[in-house]
């Protein structure tokens, strides 16, 4: 089982990657299905990062803000008193693959529709590979935003399997 000190190390490293590679950027994914070419536009903001870690913020001194959580990670001020590790094991599963998924272009080769029913997880699209994937939901502006990390083989969780052809990033 992962402890908070180990979690902080992974979360801070992942936040640094997220900031460098994805923060305030749109990611365009062009993919090919059976008979069509598809495009998806993903948007990455500070507030999305917390969801990827699987930790639960603690309300100490009003600390219950995803943006502040991200800033504390980047500034190496994240403390063990700021969060709890989810006792159901999801935090540990997410943190095992988070750093790898946040490396250049998410190590993604496949994208598709999330096809499993799980009352604890709502996500629409998954992008990744056989070692893990990021989940995305559409926001009110029509962009996909990251909302989860899964430590699974993406092929077991999607329908409408599409091979990723191109990924391109631009500043928001």
């Amino acid at each position: 089982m992962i402890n908070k000190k180990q979690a902080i190390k992974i979360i801070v490293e992942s936040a640094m990657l997220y900031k460098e590679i994805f923060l305030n950027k749109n990611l365009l994914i062009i993919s090919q299905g059976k008979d069509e070419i598809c495009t998806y536009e993903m948007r990455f903001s500070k507030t999305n990062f917390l969801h990827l870690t699987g930790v639960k913020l603690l309300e100490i001194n009003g600390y219950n803000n995803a943006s502040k959580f991200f800033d504390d990670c980047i500034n190496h001020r994240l403390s063990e008193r700021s969060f709890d590790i989810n006792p159901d094991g999801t935090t540990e599963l997410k943190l095992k693959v988070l750093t790898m998924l946040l490396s250049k272009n998410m190590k993604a080769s496949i994208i598709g529709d999330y096809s499993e029913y799980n009352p604890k997880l709502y996500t629409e699209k998954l992008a990744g590979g056989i070692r893990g994937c990021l989940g995305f939901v559409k926001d009110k502006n029509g962009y996909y935003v990251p909302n989860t990390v899964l430590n699974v083989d993406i092929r077991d969780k999607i329908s409408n399997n599409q091979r990723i052809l191109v990924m391109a990033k631009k500043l928001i």
Side-chain angles (χ1 to χ4, degrees), residues 37-51:
I37 300 290
C38 298
T39 60
Y40 304 97
E41 195 165 354
M42 279 65 173
R43 182 170 277 186
F44 295 81
S45 71
K46 282 183 185 183
T47 57
N48 302 122
F49 180 75
L50 173 63
H51 295 292

Side-chain angles (χ1 to χ4, degrees), residues 37-127:
I37 300 290
C38 298
T39 60
Y40 304 97
E41 195 165 354
M42 279 65 173
R43 182 170 277 186
F44 295 81
S45 71
K46 282 183 185 183
T47 57
N48 302 122
F49 180 75
L50 173 63
H51 295 292
L52 306 181
T53 66
V55 301
K56 181 180 178 184
L57 290 183
L58 298 176
E59 290 191 52
I60 298 171
N61 299 326
Y63 191 91
N64 192 8
N65 181 301
S67 185
K68 182 174 178 354
F69 175 81
F70 183 78
D71 290 339
D72 284 353
C73 292
I74 294 301
N75 296 314
H76 299 277
R77 290 192 313 243
L78 185 62
S79 79
E80 293 179 26
R81 296 187 327 252
S82 304
F83 67 92
D84 268 338
I85 292 174
N86 198 327
D88 70 2
T90 55
T91 303
E92 187 168 359
L93 288 171
K94 288 180 178 199
L95 294 182
K96 281 183 178 180
V97 295
L98 184 58
T99 306
M100 182 249 331
L101 288 171
L102 293 178
S103 62
K104 197 166 190 96
N105 292 331
M106 304 181 315
K107 300 278 185 197
S109 58
I110 301 169
I111 190 168
D113 299 322
Y114 179 63
S115 64
E116 188 173 281
Y117 172 75
N118 182 337
K120 291 185 175 185
L121 174 63
Y122 173 74
T123 197
E124 297 172 20
K125 295 284 181 197
L126 294 179

Side-chain angles (χ1 to χ4, degrees), residues 26 41-43 45 137-145 172:
N26 283 6
E41 195 165 354
M42 279 65 173
R43 182 170 277 186
S45 71
V137 293
K138 269 198 178 173
D139 70 5
K140 64 182 186 266
N141 298 315
Y143 293 99
Y144 284 101
V145 295
I172 293 175

